[in-house]
Amino acid sequence: MKRSERACAITQILTEHPNKDYSLGIFSEMFSCAKSSISEDLHVVRSAVEAAGLGYIETTAGAKGGVRFVPYAKDDNLRADLEKLKTVLEEPDREIGGGFLYTSDIMFNPDVIKVAAKVFAKKFAALDADFVVTVETRGIGVAMLTAELLNLPLVVLGRETRVADGSTVSINYFAGSTDSIRKMSVSKRAIKAGQKGIIIDDFMRQGGSVTGIQHMLSEFDASVCGVGVVIVTAKPVDKKVGDYFPIMILDNTQEQHKLKINPEII
C-alpha cells in the first residue's frame, strides 16, 4: 500500500472505533510495514482528522505505544447543529399538552441524535465510566451512540422482565410526570458491583425515570458518575435529580413552548 492508501485505511479504522486504543504494532502487522512508517502515516491522519473537525488523534502512553481517535465537534459546527435541532423542536404542532413535546421522530433520527451524542461524549469523556445506562424506549438511540463514542457498553433497563435476561433485578419507581408507579428490570449479569455508569435520557420533567435508574444501580452497589438529558423542562424547578446535564431547556410556562440551548455546552 502507498502511504496515502494506508492513511485512508487507518483513518477509517480509528474513526469507526472512537476511544479505542490501537498499538502501532497492530497497524504495522496489518499493512506489513515498519512502525516508523506507521508513525509517519499517523501524522497525515492526525492533520486530516483535525482539519475536518472530526476530533483529534491522541497518543497512548506506555511501552507498547499507540493511538486512539477522540471525537470532538468544533464549537461552531456544534452550535449550528444545535440551532437546527432547536428550530425543529420548536415547531408549533409538537406541543402535545401537559408540558410535553412530540419527539419520537427526533429521537429515532440518526442525524439528530448523533449531535446529542457528541455533546454527551464531550461532556463525560473524562469520567472514566464503565458503562452507559438508559431505560426503554426513546432514549435508547442517543444512549447507544453516546456509548459508541465513549467506547463503553450500553445497559438498557427494561419495562418488563424477559426470559432471555436470565436472573433479573426489578424495582418499582414513581414516574412523577404521570403520577404513576412503574417497573424497571435488568439482568443480574449486566452490572457489576463498584462500577460507574453514565445515565442518558431523552426527556425529563421531574426526574422520575432518572431517579429510578439511580435506585437500580444502587441495588448493584454501582454508582452514577454523570447524567445527561436531551430535553429538560424549566418547570418544576425542583427536580428529583440533583445533578444533571441538559442539552435543551424547555420553557413550559409559556402558551407556546420555547427552547434554549444549555450555555454550558459551548
Side-chain angles (χ1 to χ4, degrees):
M1 273 189 168
K2 298 178 181 178
R3 169 155 294 154
S4 59
E5 294 171 332
R6 291 198 306 267
C8 288
I10 292 171
T11 301
Q12 181 177 8
I13 292 169
L14 291 176
T15 55
E16 286 185 350
H17 302 87
N19 280 300
K20 181 176 180 180
D21 293 330
Y22 285 89
S23 69
L24 298 187
I26 290 176
F27 292 129
S28 178
E29 182 177 348
M30 185 181 298
F31 300 116
S32 301
C33 62
K35 290 183 181 179
S36 58
S37 296
I38 296 299
S39 181
E40 293 174 0
D41 296 341
L42 286 168
H43 285 296
V44 176
V45 173
R46 181 177 285 107
S47 298
V49 166
E50 292 181 2
L54 301 176
Y56 58 90
I57 303 299
E58 183 177 78
T59 301
T60 305
K64 294 182 179 180
V67 293
R68 71 177 69 161
F69 165 67
V70 180
Y72 192 94
K74 287 184 177 180
D75 285 351
D76 290 344
N77 295 342
L78 199 55
R79 167 62 70 176
D81 288 337
L82 289 175
E83 289 290 350
K84 291 178 183 177
L85 174 57
K86 177 176 175 289
T87 299
V88 173
L89 288 169
E90 285 185 333
E91 294 170 350
D93 60 353
R94 290 193 175 274
E95 180 69 51
I96 57 178
F100 289 94
L101 299 179
Y102 176 74
T103 61
S104 293
D105 59 331
I106 296 294
M107 295 305 166
F108 295 120
N109 183 327
D111 290 335
V112 173
I113 60 178
K114 281 178 184 177
V115 178
K118 287 178 182 178
V119 173
F120 291 141
K122 179 179 178 181
K123 174 66 176 179
F124 300 130
L127 295 183
D128 193 29
D130 298 294
F131 59 90
V132 172
V133 60
T134 192
V135 65
E136 295 179 324
T137 57
R138 284 191 299 272
I140 292 177
V142 65
M144 181 74 253
L145 290 179
T146 302
E148 179 184 14
L149 291 176
L150 294 173
N151 191 32
L152 296 173
L154 173 65
V155 176
V156 178
L157 308 184
R159 298 294 187 184
E160 57 184 37
T161 57
R162 297 178 174 84
V163 175
D165 291 334
S167 298
T168 61
V169 174
S170 298
I171 66 166
N172 294 322
Y173 69 100
F174 181 69
S177 59
T178 56
D179 295 324
S180 62
I181 300 296
R182 293 185 180 178
K183 177 183 177 181
M184 62 174 63
S185 65
V186 69
S187 171
K188 288 183 177 179
R189 301 185 182 194
I191 303 170
K192 295 180 175 61
Q195 288 189 319
K196 298 186 295 182
I198 297 170
I199 298 175
I200 299 296
D201 206 0
D202 63 306
F203 190 91
M204 183 168 75
R205 187 174 184 183
Q206 293 183 332
S209 295
V210 172
T211 302
I213 297 174
Q214 291 174 329
H215 289 165
M216 176 64 83
L217 265 58
S218 69
E219 292 290 322
F220 290 85
D221 292 326
S223 60
V224 177
C225 59
V227 176
V229 187
V230 180
I231 304 171
V232 174
T233 61
K235 300 288 184 178
V237 175
D238 295 328
K239 312 289 188 190
K240 296 181 179 181
V241 183
D243 188 16
Y244 58 89
F245 179 79
I247 292 179
M248 297 280 183
I249 300 169
L250 171 65
D251 183 355
N252 54 332
T253 62
Q254 305 293 324
E255 291 184 5
Q256 183 177 355
H257 65 273
K258 292 292 183 181
L259 286 149
K260 68 176 182 179
I261 300 170
N262 182 358
E264 295 181 21
I265 293 175
I266 48 180

